[in-house]
Amino acid sequence: EVQLEQSGAEVKKPGESLRISCKGSGYNFSNFWISWVRQMSGKGLEWMGRIDPSDSYTKFSPSFQGHVTISVDKSISTSYLQWSSLNASDTAMYYCARFYYDSRTYYSDWGQGTLVTVSS
Amino acid sequence: EIVLTQSPGTLSLSPGERATLSCRASQIVSSDYLAWYQQKPGQLPRLLIYDASTRATGIPDRFSGTGSGTDFSLTISRLEPEDFAVYYCQRYGSSFPFGPGTKVDI
């Protein structure tokens, strides 16, 4: 069974750094891109970017380019979403997801989400 | 970068009625790689439709998708109480942007 297990909720202050994680299991982690999706409270889904675990190539939505870093440690089947300096507008639920298309079928697997709260 | 817009923002209907939701892309969606999701409060998004018109596994046939190029639609033929939710379109390929969503409420 495919699982994406995310790290727990975080409460941070503005200006602090943060890294949250997403561990994949039940499949060959290196073979499938991991995406990160933001959902602010009461708002829509926003695709932030994705990483190819095989070579760590990343592609970002223009809205998030330069604001976050996506990385991966394929030795432990884990992807990370990282901020160097948080601000209050980063408060949101963050999901990792595996979106892929194979043999004329599209698959969409989601982590359970990590709630990030940034408040002074 | 492709941008998806959805209309209307909110659709107020009653159980048993037909719902038609629209998704428009800023450029042609190659191979009709367009998906629709349903999301209820506190839940993960649920994949309904992919390739613009193919129902995902276990999705009831009251859900149907049409369209190609830049204009796509999701139709719910007869709304059930559990269908009141927010619906998102998503283009997939090298990137995976979502539309802003349409809320279907009573």
Side-chain angles (χ1 to χ4, degrees):
Chain A
E1 179 194 3
V2 171
Q3 287 194 326
L4 297 172
E5 186 69 26
Q6 296 188 231
S7 50
E10 301 274 1
V11 179
K12 291 288 189 179
K13 290 181 167 43
E16 292 185 333
S17 63
L18 175 65
R19 188 178 77 167
I20 62 175
S21 67
C22 169
K23 182 175 175 62
S25 62
Y27 71 99
N28 188 333
F29 184 79
S30 293
N31 288 359
F32 299 90
W33 300 342
I34 291 289
S35 283
W36 288 90
V37 177
R38 183 176 81 174
Q39 188 165 38
M40 302 174 79
S41 180
K43 303 298 183 182
L45 302 169
E46 300 175 273
W47 181 76
M48 302 173 71
R50 54 92 171 162
I51 188 164
D52 183 339
S54 68
D55 61 5
S56 295
Y57 175 80
T58 53
K59 184 177 176 70
F60 287 92
S61 162
S63 300
F64 292 93
Q65 181 82 49
H67 295 284
V68 294
T69 301
I70 298 175
S71 61
V72 67
D73 184 342
K74 60 184 179 182
S75 70
I76 54 171
S77 300
T78 299
S79 177
Y80 302 97
L81 179 65
Q82 184 170 343
W83 295 260
S84 59
S85 179
L86 288 159
N87 57 57
S89 63
D90 294 315
T91 295
M93 181 72 83
Y94 292 88
Y95 296 102
C96 64
R98 187 181 73 146
F99 304 126
Y100 75 100
Y101 190 80
D102 180 55
S103 300
R104 297 189 176 184
T105 303
Y106 181 57
Y107 300 88
S108 172
D109 302 307
W110 295 73
Q112 82 275 21
T114 296
L115 181 62
V116 174
T117 303
V118 183
S119 174
S120 54
Chain B
E1 186 75 11
I2 195 167
V3 175
L4 302 176
T5 55
Q6 292 186 241
S7 60
T10 301
L11 199 51
S12 296
L13 295 168
S14 299
E17 290 192 296
R18 181 184 187 91
T20 302
L21 290 64
S22 174
C23 175
R24 177 164 288 178
S26 60
Q27 53 191 269
I28 290 175
V29 176
S30 60
S31 304
D32 293 337
Y33 282 169
L34 193 286
W36 290 93
Y37 292 82
Q38 175 195 70
Q39 189 182 31
K40 299 177 183 178
Q43 296 186 18
L44 296 174
R46 174 192 182 197
L47 180 65
L48 300 175
I49 300 285
Y50 63 91
D51 287 356
S53 61
T54 302
R55 276 188 296 277
T57 302
I59 301 304
D61 61 7
R62 65 180 182 272
F63 292 92
S64 62
T66 60
S68 66
T70 60
D71 291 299
F72 300 88
S73 294
L74 174 71
T75 298
I76 311 170
S77 60
R78 288 178 56 86
L79 283 163
E80 298 288 342
E82 62 268 27
D83 299 337
F84 291 92
V86 181
Y87 293 83
Y88 299 94
C89 57
Q90 179 197 40
R91 195 285 305 264
Y92 48 95
S94 60
S95 63
F96 303 88
F98 291 93
T102 290
K103 183 177 183 180
V104 178
D105 66 11
I106 298 178

